[in-house]
Amino acid sequence: MDANALAAANFELLRDNPYPGRGLVIGRSSVEDAWLMIYWIMGRSASSRNRRFVAAGTTLRTEPIDTRQMENPELLIYDAMLELPSIYLVSNGDQTRTIYDALLAGSSFDAALEKREREPDAPHYTPRISGMLDLQTFPGRITLSILKASKANPANTDRFTYRPGKLPRGFAMGLTTYRGDGNPLPSFSGDPLLLPCAGKAEAVLDTYWNALNADNRVAIAVKQISVQEGTSRLLVRNRFTSQ
């Protein structure tokens, strides 16, 4: 199967998945000299759906819509995207800040995540998924991580780090937290997914938003990052804005 067919097949798997949970995708635009960083959240419970994305400059964060209805804010409210010079971070939890602080102090992506575990939300033990785009090396380098409950003992964490090779324009690599719906929710398994990244940022946002299950999607964001200028802009779409 060639790259286009594989990316299309993986995208159909995403479209057919009623609950991939949170997801992150990093890829190169097919039409612009830019990287696109995509992040979305989904929710089944009232507390999970009681959120929206807020862009504050180049930072993306989750925010409660109604603070009176928020449960487990330590797992639901966090900075999802942060930046350092030529380095762009995305994750599904407050490990974004852990990575950011470690890099700022001269440490590394891997060392930062050694301090973190899968989420403590038994029985699901939601994986922590994280991504980094490093533009210090042209045209850019991706690092992806997933921290999952160990199959041998969920009290422990299995750690997987991926460093995909150079991506052609129009392709992306992604991770989700779950393989589908269930109780407990089945964790993502296997290697990161090769996915399409066709069109401008606005078109990519529409494509991925429309692929997510309409009953469970909550919010999506796309950060467009210029390769030449190193500047970025955030596009945000929220399903819920008030309750």
Side-chain angles (χ1 to χ4, degrees):
M1 186 179 295
D2 68 18
N4 285 295
L6 178 58
N10 285 335
F11 188 77
E12 286 305 308
L13 290 176
L14 176 65
R15 187 190 299 276
D16 293 340
N17 186 344
Y19 202 69
R22 287 165 272 177
L24 61 85
V25 178
I26 305 175
R28 297 182 67 189
S29 169
S30 62
V31 297
E32 299 175 298
D33 191 15
W35 286 85
L36 300 179
M37 182 174 277
I38 308 159
Y39 180 62
W40 69 79
I41 56 175
M42 305 181 78
R44 302 184 303 176
S45 69
S47 184
S48 290
R49 294 182 177 191
N50 179 36
R51 292 183 294 166
R52 62 188 172 194
F53 280 162
V54 175
T58 59
T59 296
L60 178 74
R61 67 173 185 268
T62 61
E63 181 179 271
I65 297 170
D66 185 344
T67 56
R68 298 169 299 178
Q69 298 184 29
M70 181 54 55
E71 299 176 4
N72 301 317
E74 69 280 2
L75 298 179
L76 299 176
I77 306 303
Y78 51 87
D79 293 324
M81 291 186 185
L82 291 170
E83 292 184 12
L84 289 161
S86 300
I87 295 177
Y88 304 84
L89 305 173
V90 57
S91 93
N92 72 327
D94 62 6
Q95 73 268 23
T96 323
R97 179 62 63 176
T98 302
I99 301 167
Y100 177 92
D101 290 342
L103 295 175
L104 195 62
S107 188
S108 68
F109 181 91
D110 290 359
L113 289 171
E114 280 294 329
K115 302 175 182 178
R116 304 307 304 265
E117 308 289 338
R118 81 289 180 275
E119 293 189 358
D121 58 338
H124 309 298
Y125 296 110
T126 299
R128 291 189 185 273
I129 54 175
S130 308
M132 178 174 68
L133 171 64
D134 184 350
L135 290 187
Q136 296 175 105
T137 301
F138 183 83
R141 181 172 56 191
I142 298 172
T143 305
L144 299 173
S145 165
I146 183 166
L147 308 181
K148 300 169 53 177
S150 171
K151 292 181 179 179
N153 181 355
N156 299 324
T157 298
D158 290 339
R159 304 167 188 278
F160 302 89
T161 301
Y162 304 90
R163 292 180 171 84
K166 187 181 298 184
L167 278 179
R169 290 188 181 185
F171 292 95
M173 300 299 293
L175 291 169
T176 65
T177 51
Y178 307 123
R179 296 196 310 272
D181 209 344
N183 193 19
L185 288 159
S187 293
F188 179 90
S189 62
D191 292 335
L193 301 174
L194 180 69
L195 291 164
C197 194
K200 295 185 177 181
E202 292 82 358
V204 170
L205 185 147
D206 285 340
T207 297
Y208 277 84
W209 179 252
N210 292 331
L212 298 176
N213 181 275
D215 291 332
N216 294 318
R217 64 191 181 189
V218 172
I220 191 170
V222 174
K223 177 176 280 191
Q224 178 183 356
I225 304 158
S226 168
V227 172
Q228 298 298 328
E229 299 174 5
T231 56
S232 66
R233 67 184 181 106
L234 267 168
L235 306 175
V236 171
R237 180 173 299 169
N238 291 302
R239 177 182 175 189
F240 306 109
T241 56
S242 62
Q243 300 237 3

